[in-house]
Amino acid sequence: PKSVAPSARIPSQLCTARSIMPVDRHVLANERTLMAWLRLAATMGLGAFLVNVLQKSSSKAALGPMSLVQSLVAIIIAAVSLVRFYQRDYLLKSRHMGAAFGDWMLPVLSGGMILAIVVSATGSAISRWAEWHFHGPECVALPGFLETPGAPRPHVYVSFHGSSEPTSAICHPEQGVSGIHKFSLASGEYVGPATDQLSAVQKMPRQLLVAGDHLLVADGAPSMSSVAVFGRCVPPEPDHVSVPPREFLGVIRAPAQDTRSAEGLLAHGAPVTPLAMEHPYGLALGPDGSTLHVSTQNGGAAISVSLKNGSMALTQQVAPPVPLVGRQVGGPLRGIAVDAANCMHVADRKAHRVAHYCPADAPQPSGFTEVKHPIALSVVHDMPHEAGTLLVGSVEKRASLDADGSDIGDAEGVVLAFPLDLHKPVFPLQVSATYGDKKSLSHPAGMLVSGGLLYVLDQSSKQLLSFDLETAKYKGAAIKTLPDVPEDVALVPDGC
């Protein structure tokens, strides 16, 4: 066969066109590099989002800067990778196959930023561990508050909204206070801790109750759902004035087995299940002094507990339960109270009413009293009515709600007084007095009566407000500065 010269095998015009085309493998490599950096930027952006979600759920202010840094790094990596892609594309079209100036920038920048985030997160974790391990006992008393054990009496216990991580937040009250603390009702001064937040790992304290020598505290955390029991007060040491925190004895909770799917477990007198016990909120003691009544916010139930033998029973299913699945959702029930005639009163916030059961273990309600968004309930005998008075904290104008159904922002609240008839209860109850207005009270929570004054916790202002019991006139703030959103208040027994 006739030989063909190498130069004649490919037309010269094709060679010329070929010479100005970039090499395919370099183009593909450039595109793959761009996609890799964009994936890294997207991953860091997703990480910033997850850190932001974690910050909101755990109230960790320290996670805010980390989320911002990750977002900035993701934006920088995406922007620089695009710039480098077009620069490399231009060089390839110019038949430049070597390294482009600045190719080291992205690896060094991203690697340095990732290393800085890892070192920062590790350092923060070690710092938190060291702070809890070495300084935690010092923070049992509220940091930033002057402990004054000799403050004038009477003293009060105050519970707070709490923290999802009480041990790591113990030195940072702004992240939530899970311990119970004492304040002077006379001067507003901080007296000291009533419980040890390190040894009694409560997360979300709600209402509290002094039952004989013991202090009972409802814990509404989804993973806890129990009533914590604290021992008697221990007298102070001879050379000390302050009373040490009460000893943590244990918790009252539903049986461990989960029987949510079984039928007939929400009936009167049925065994208490984890579903019925979800998010305990209110506590009340029966007139016999040995029966504890618990209202569960998400369980929608009223539960009775014998303080003699520990037996539990579902007394009433006041409202349908709202299971805590995936996220915390506010349930229907709030406070509970029992009067001297053994009538039980339960606040159903979602239904805008207070349900009455006479007697407390009646299978069906004896009646209802319409109240807008009732919260805390309390039966007091210091009012003019001999049979006692039912006090109901009400949010008459709701503000926006957070995840667990608590009001945030501006709201208008009042406390309504309903006289009780212990001999022949008649429902609905009739209002005899109204305490508070939009200028003085926004979101009422726990309340008590002492020395002719009604004291009401206001969650919006984080204060304990006082009103004249007879005239309902606002007298001012008894405690002006509280470290966290308050939940409940109770008088401290003498000697504690």
Side-chain angles (χ1 to χ4, degrees):
K2 187 177 180 180
S3 61
V4 180
S7 59
R9 293 176 183 174
I10 303 175
S12 59
Q13 63 270 23
L14 293 180
C15 291
T16 304
R18 181 84 173 179
S19 66
I20 64 173
M21 293 294 291
V23 181
D24 291 343
R25 62 188 180 89
H26 291 288
V27 173
L28 294 176
N30 190 33
E31 293 175 350
R32 288 196 299 268
T33 303
L34 172 64
M35 296 305 297
W37 286 116
L38 290 180
R39 283 196 297 269
L40 176 61
T43 301
M44 298 199 71
L46 178 61
F49 172 76
L50 294 178
V51 169
N52 188 50
V53 172
L54 179 63
Q55 176 196 6
K56 292 182 178 179
S57 63
S58 63
S59 300
K60 284 190 173 182
L63 295 179
M66 184 180 296
S67 174
L68 178 62
V69 170
Q70 282 192 256
S71 301
L72 292 177
V73 171
I75 294 173
I76 292 173
I77 290 177
V80 175
S81 64
L82 287 171
V83 172
R84 300 308 303 149
F85 170 77
Y86 287 112
Q87 287 180 341
R88 169 64 69 181
D89 186 64
Y90 171 77
L91 292 173
L92 288 175
K93 289 179 180 179
S94 302
R95 300 189 65 191
H96 179 87
M97 305 302 171
F101 176 76
D103 277 356
W104 52 267
M105 182 183 299
L106 271 176
V108 172
L109 175 65
S110 58
M113 287 294 186
I114 294 174
L115 180 63
I117 291 174
V118 171
V119 171
S120 174
T122 304
S124 177
I126 294 175
S127 174
R128 281 300 182 92
W129 176 86
E131 182 180 55
W132 168 79
H133 188 74
F134 295 107
H135 300 287
E138 302 172 5
C139 299
V140 172
L142 283 173
F145 284 74
L146 178 62
E147 190 174 0
T148 314
R153 288 184 175 271
H155 297 167
V156 292
Y157 294 126
V158 180
S159 63
F160 300 93
H161 199 66
S163 167
S164 60
E165 297 185 6
T167 52
S168 61
I170 188 170
C171 293
H172 303 275
E174 70 279 2
Q175 295 181 14
V177 177
S178 297
I180 309 301
H181 293 269
K182 294 182 291 186
F183 294 82
S184 170
L185 199 59
S187 64
E189 296 174 280
Y190 175 59
V191 177
T195 65
D196 185 344
Q197 188 166 317
L198 285 178
S199 63
V201 187
Q202 285 186 283
K203 293 184 177 181
M204 296 167 54
R206 291 299 178 255
Q207 293 194 338
L208 46 86
L209 175 69
V210 177
D213 294 333
H214 297 86
L215 175 65
L216 309 178
V217 184
D219 188 354
S223 60
M224 308 293 283
S225 289
S226 58
V227 177
V229 182
F230 296 88
R232 66 182 62 198
C233 292
V234 178
E237 299 292 335
D239 55 343
H240 291 77
V241 180
S242 60
V243 177
R246 289 174 178 257
E247 180 185 4
F248 175 60
L249 301 180
V251 297
I252 301 171
R253 60 175 48 168
Q257 65 270 19
D258 193 344
T259 53
R260 300 175 186 220
S261 60
E263 297 182 359
L265 290 173
L266 298 181
H268 174 74
V272 177
T273 66
L275 176 59
M277 193 65 178
E278 280 194 346
H279 201 144
Y281 186 93
L283 301 177
L285 198 62
D288 60 358
S290 62
T291 303
L292 172 67
H293 297 274
V294 183
S295 62
T296 58
Q297 177 173 316
N298 282 69
I303 296 170
S304 63
V305 182
S306 172
L307 298 181
K308 293 180 178 180
N309 55 28
S311 62
M312 305 174 66
L314 181 67
T315 311
Q316 287 91 16
Q317 189 64 44
V318 183
V322 181
L324 292 170
V325 179
R327 60 185 294 270
Q328 189 175 343
V329 180
L333 299 193
R334 291 300 188 269
I336 189 172
V338 180
D339 59 34
N342 198 31
C343 287
M344 183 172 67
H345 315 276
V346 185
D348 188 341
R349 176 171 177 159
K350 294 290 180 70
H352 304 280
R353 66 189 185 186
V354 176
H356 310 282
Y357 296 86
C358 294
D361 59 354
Q364 298 295 328
S366 305
F368 301 95
T369 299
E370 300 296 325
V371 177
K372 288 185 178 179
H373 306 290
I375 308 293
L377 303 183
S378 178
V379 172
V380 298
H381 297 278
D382 296 357
M383 306 285 281
H385 313 287
E386 295 181 0
T389 301
L390 176 65
L391 298 176
V392 181
S394 165
V395 180
E396 292 203 328
K397 178 183 177 182
R398 290 198 343 172
S400 55
L401 302 180
D402 64 9
D404 72 343
S406 299
D407 286 317
I408 55 178
D410 294 330
E412 296 179 9
V414 295
V415 175
L416 304 175
F418 297 93
L420 297 173
D421 187 341
L422 303 184
H423 302 289
K424 189 179 180 180
V426 178
F427 305 106
L429 301 175
Q430 303 299 315
V431 178
S432 64
T434 301
Y435 301 85
D437 52 40
K438 62 181 180 181
K439 295 182 179 179
S440 60
L441 185 60
S442 297
H443 190 295
M447 63 191 83
L448 61 85
V449 171
S450 178
L453 295 176
L454 168 64
Y455 295 91
V456 184
L457 287 172
D458 184 16
Q459 291 191 332
S460 297
S461 64
K462 298 181 183 179
Q463 295 181 334
L464 180 65
L465 310 179
S466 62
F467 299 85
D468 186 276
L469 201 57
E470 294 186 2
T471 65
K473 183 180 179 181
Y474 175 60
K475 304 294 290 185
I479 303 176
K480 296 182 179 180
T481 304
L482 291 170
D484 188 15
V485 176
E487 290 287 346
D488 198 18
V489 60
L491 282 172
V492 175
D494 294 336
C496 293

